[in-house]
């Protein structure tokens, strides 16, 4: 894997740069409720040295009824000041989660115009597997710093924009949920949602982008995952999933492939599946 401080870096890269003055390390673990795991409690007990906790649910739009929607710029800026992160810092996000939620944190930083941000390939498991130490004492807080976001609205889509894409095909919709949920064969984990997918969407399950160790697959395999699902990588893509977490893995994979015309449907199926005015499809793509 080629390290890229704007998308994905290896454990070896992080170990070499861990003590760089401008490096900021964040644990962005997030779990589905059914797992009964508490990411903050796990962070408090074991983490990569120097890391702070990035709470995906807190760094969000509290005024929305939908889960962890992208934060308004002023909310993001307030959290960055609290974490002591400046706009020129190199941020590395990682997780210890099957959801690969660090990709969502990566996307949020990019949405706010922060270019120097990368996900740690393999996350905490890769760090410990390589024999590196963990920290257990209370993390040291950094001094607050000024942070002014430079939002990039082109990286996000709302339901109205996705409905247009579904109708006219100007942007391809790619769904990261499991094939069973995509087809409508399995119930949604959130109550009250219809089963199925957005009409004209393609299915690239988020888990198919990672190997058994949790590392992102090599570029040829990423490309094949999209192309075998019928995605034309020369055309714009809207990524989607259940609630905007796993869709970010699709966005990160596209970025790794050099595909820049991608945006994330933030409401995802949590919004689409709940709105009876929005059409759904079932079965394969």
């Amino acid at each position: 894997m080629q390290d890229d401080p704007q998308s994905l870096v290896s454990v070896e890269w992080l170990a070499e740069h861990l003590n760089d003055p401008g490096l900021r390390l964040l644990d962005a673990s997030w779990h589905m409720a059914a797992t009964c795991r508490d990411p903050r409690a796990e962070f408090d007990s074991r983490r990569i040295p120097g890391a702070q906790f990035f709470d995906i649910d807190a760094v969000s739009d509290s005024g929305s009824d939908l889960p962890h929607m992208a934060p308004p710029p002023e909310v993001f800026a307030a959290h960055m000041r609290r974490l002591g992160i400046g706009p020129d810092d190199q941020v590395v996000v990682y997780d210890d989660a099957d959801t690969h939620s660090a990709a969502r944190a990566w996307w949020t930083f990019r949405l706010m115009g922060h270019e120097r941000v990368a996900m740690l390939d393999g996350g905490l498991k890769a760090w410990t597997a390589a024999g590196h130490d963990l920290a257990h004492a209370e993390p040291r807080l950094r001094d607050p710093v000024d942070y002014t976001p430079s939002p990039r609205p082109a990286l996000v889509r709302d339901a109205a924009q996705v409905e247009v894409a579904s109708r006219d095909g100007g942007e391809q919709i790619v769904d990261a949920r499991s094939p069973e949920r995509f087809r409508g064969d399995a119930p949604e984990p959130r109550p009250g949602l219809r089963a199925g997918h957005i009409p004209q969407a393609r299915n690239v399950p988020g888990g198919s982008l990672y190997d058994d160790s949790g590392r992102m697959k090599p570029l040829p395999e990423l490309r094949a995952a999209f192309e075998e699902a019928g995605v034309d990588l020369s055309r714009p893509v809207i990524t989607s999933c259940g609630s905007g977490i796993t869709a970010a893995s699709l966005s990160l994979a596209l970025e790794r492939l050099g595909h820049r015309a991608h945006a994330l449907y933030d409401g995802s199926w949590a919004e689409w599946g709940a709105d009876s005015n929005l059409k759904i499809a079932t079965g394969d793509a």
Side-chain angles (χ1 to χ4, degrees):
M1 188 201 82
Q2 183 176 356
D3 292 305
D4 179 5
Q6 293 188 9
S7 62
L8 194 70
V9 295
S10 64
V11 163
E12 293 76 18
W13 185 95
L14 180 59
E16 181 181 348
H17 294 275
L18 189 62
N19 295 316
D20 288 1
L23 186 127
R24 301 291 181 263
L25 185 60
L26 299 173
D27 183 328
S29 298
W30 181 90
H31 309 290
M32 293 291 291
T35 66
C36 298
R37 291 178 63 182
D38 183 339
R40 180 60 200 238
E42 292 178 10
F43 167 81
D44 287 340
S45 66
R46 56 196 294 268
R47 60 190 171 277
I48 299 176
Q52 298 187 81
F53 188 68
F54 184 91
D55 189 332
I56 285 175
D57 286 322
V59 188
S60 67
D61 183 359
S62 61
S64 174
D65 293 334
L66 296 168
H68 39 252
M69 292 287 281
E74 62 275 13
V75 171
F76 184 80
H79 281 277
M80 294 306 101
R81 285 193 288 269
R82 180 181 61 81
L83 291 169
I85 295 175
D88 297 322
D89 287 335
Q90 172 65 59
V91 177
V92 175
V93 292
Y94 74 89
D95 61 54
D96 183 23
D98 293 337
T99 57
H100 301 284
S101 53
R104 172 68 186 199
W106 169 85
W107 176 82
T108 303
F109 272 90
R110 294 297 297 274
L111 179 66
M112 294 297 154
H114 197 114
E115 297 290 336
R116 301 186 66 197
V117 57
M119 186 174 85
L120 177 64
D121 199 22
L124 185 66
K125 290 180 181 177
W127 179 263
T128 55
H132 295 296
D133 292 336
L134 294 176
H136 305 281
E138 185 173 348
R140 179 180 64 85
L141 296 179
R142 297 184 180 276
D143 293 333
V145 297
D146 290 332
Y147 193 101
T148 302
S150 301
R152 300 173 62 194
L155 293 184
V156 67
R157 294 289 184 271
D158 60 22
Q161 293 168 312
V162 175
E163 188 174 26
V164 170
S166 174
R167 186 171 59 248
D168 68 17
E171 296 176 290
Q172 302 166 98
I173 303 164
V174 185
D175 190 327
R177 291 177 301 152
S178 70
E180 295 79 13
R181 290 173 64 190
F182 179 86
R183 292 192 301 263
D185 295 340
E188 286 295 307
R190 292 179 176 81
L193 299 184
R194 299 171 294 169
H197 59 265
I198 301 168
Q200 309 305 321
R202 301 290 181 171
N203 185 211
V204 179
S208 70
L209 305 176
Y210 299 91
D211 65 20
D212 292 341
S213 72
R215 290 178 172 86
M216 188 162 272
K217 290 180 178 178
L219 297 184
E221 295 183 39
L222 295 180
R223 182 176 299 277
F226 285 98
E227 292 179 344
E228 290 172 4
V231 180
D232 183 349
L233 292 174
S234 69
R235 297 177 50 225
V237 170
I238 298 172
T239 64
S240 180
C241 62
S243 66
I245 298 288
T246 312
S249 283
L250 297 182
S251 299
L252 178 58
L254 290 167
E255 193 75 14
R256 292 285 291 169
L257 289 168
H259 187 292
R260 302 292 182 254
H262 59 82
L264 187 149
Y265 173 27
D266 203 14
S268 284
W269 199 250
E271 178 178 40
W272 195 279
D275 190 341
S276 61
N277 294 314
L278 297 172
K279 295 180 180 180
I280 65 170
T282 56
D284 293 321

